Amino acid sequence: GDIVLLAKPVTLTEGDRVTLTTDVPVATDGTSKPEKLLYAVSVPPVHGQIEHINYPSVPIPRHSRLDVVAQKVPSIHDNSHGAGKEPLR
């Protein structure tokens, strides 16, 4: 079916960490099984990474909707001085 993705902007500054929730991003593919959705990181953060809490310090290229629901997917800024704010995409 059709895929719809709505994303709210998240901005991280030096040393920040944000855990992705079902509000960021919200996705549906028209089926009755949103837990089967997989998200791919097509543009990784320049000054940090998206990781899984079970594998700290290891960037991940994709994660599931269930990982997001369980709040297991944080995005972490790498403390780069002068990096300023970075949007999460």
Side-chain angles (χ1 to χ4, degrees), residues 2 4-5 7 12-13 17 20-22 37-38 41 44 46-48 50 52-53 57 65 68-69 73-74 80 86:
D2 294 331
V4 176
L5 178 64
L12 301 176
T13 56
R17 172 187 178 114
L20 301 183
T21 65
T22 54
L37 288 175
L38 295 176
V41 180
V46 175
H47 300 287
I50 297 172
H52 193 283
I53 63 167
S57 301
R65 170 93 173 166
V68 173
V69 170
V73 183
S80 298
E86 178 175 24

Side-chain angles (χ1 to χ4, degrees), residues 1-78:
D2 294 331
I3 295 174
V4 176
L5 178 64
L6 304 172
K8 294 180 183 179
V10 173
T11 302
L12 301 176
T13 56
E14 183 179 325
D16 278 353
R17 172 187 178 114
V18 65
T19 300
L20 301 183
T21 65
T22 54
D23 291 341
V24 182
V26 176
T28 180
D29 67 352
T31 69
S32 61
K33 298 185 181 196
E35 69 276 5
K36 301 269 186 186
L37 288 175
L38 295 176
Y39 297 92
V41 180
S42 60
V43 180
V46 175
H47 300 287
Q49 63 191 24
I50 297 172
E51 58 186 49
H52 193 283
I53 63 167
N54 292 347
Y55 308 101
S57 301
V58 178
I60 58 173
R62 65 188 145 288
H63 56 279
S64 73
R65 170 93 173 166
L66 290 178
D67 289 334
V68 173
V69 170
Q71 297 185 353
K72 293 185 175 187
V73 183
S75 177
I76 300 168
H77 194 283
D78 68 2

